[in-house]
Amino acid sequence: MSPQISLWPGVLGRITTLLGALAGVFLVVALVLVVAGVAFRYLLNAPIFGGAELVQFASVGMVMCAIPYCGASDGHIRVDIFDRLLGRTGRLIGEVIYVAAALAVLFFLVTRAWRNTLEAIEYEDATNILDLPIWPMQALIVLGAVIFGAVLIGRLIYLLTDKAHAHE
């Protein structure tokens, strides 16, 4: 277990770990579908019907499950060119600005995705080829963003306590 995830005990830590594993499952499913689709198309001249739609669904699942896990495990890409120059206080201010900006973006993402989910349910929106309902994937966008928001709020609380300074 990552040292950062151990900072998120309880339910949030278990949820983000589970979502990380689920992201891996979505990745494997997408890769198997792509390899099988290419093999069937070129070797057997029989493409997988709706394979592209299934890969798109798996991709949404993979990304939206990986984001909270990556945030909880501190796996997002970060450039720390100015860390020494800024010092402890500057880094703290930078982290607070990052979390505030990310929460603002997530707020707009969640509100729009929630509206789209409700509209997809109301109008019974479905994919073109397989006629799969699209609301589950839109709901997964909402779920992943909300959990990532909870991770960010937890990170902010962690940063503003003395525990963050003890790990430097």
Side-chain angles (χ1 to χ4, degrees):
M1 181 180 290
S2 165
Q4 283 297 103
I5 288 183
S6 66
L7 300 173
W8 310 102
V11 175
L12 190 58
R14 286 192 292 274
I15 289 172
T16 55
T17 302
L18 176 67
L19 287 176
L22 191 56
V25 170
F26 279 122
L27 175 63
V28 169
V29 167
L31 291 175
V32 167
L33 282 169
V34 168
V35 169
V38 169
F40 278 43
R41 176 179 302 274
Y42 291 107
L43 298 177
L44 305 174
N45 199 25
I48 297 176
F49 184 71
E53 287 182 355
L54 295 174
V55 169
Q56 289 171 350
F57 269 46
S59 297
V60 170
M62 176 184 58
V63 169
M64 294 316 295
C65 289
I67 287 174
Y69 173 78
C70 199
S73 61
D74 203 23
H76 289 288
I77 295 173
R78 178 177 309 185
V79 179
D80 54 1
I81 297 171
F82 301 110
D83 274 4
R84 285 191 181 151
L85 184 67
L86 293 173
R88 180 187 296 178
T89 305
R91 285 193 307 270
L92 177 64
I93 291 170
E95 284 288 321
V96 169
I97 291 170
Y98 151 71
V99 170
L103 286 171
V105 169
L106 284 173
F107 173 77
F108 289 111
L109 175 68
V110 167
T111 55
R112 186 65 192 150
W114 181 247
R115 258 188 262 134
N116 287 349
T117 302
L118 295 177
E119 287 176 5
I121 292 170
E122 180 181 350
Y123 296 115
E124 298 178 1
D125 287 347
T127 60
N128 292 331
I129 296 173
L130 296 177
D131 201 34
L132 297 171
I134 62 171
W135 70 263
M137 287 299 114
Q138 289 176 327
L140 191 57
I141 292 171
V142 173
L143 179 68
V146 166
I147 294 172
F148 184 47
V151 167
L152 287 173
I153 290 169
R155 179 159 182 77
L156 185 62
I157 292 168
Y158 170 75
L159 287 170
L160 297 175
T161 64
D162 289 332
K163 292 178 187 175
H165 302 299
H167 285 92
E168 284 189 8

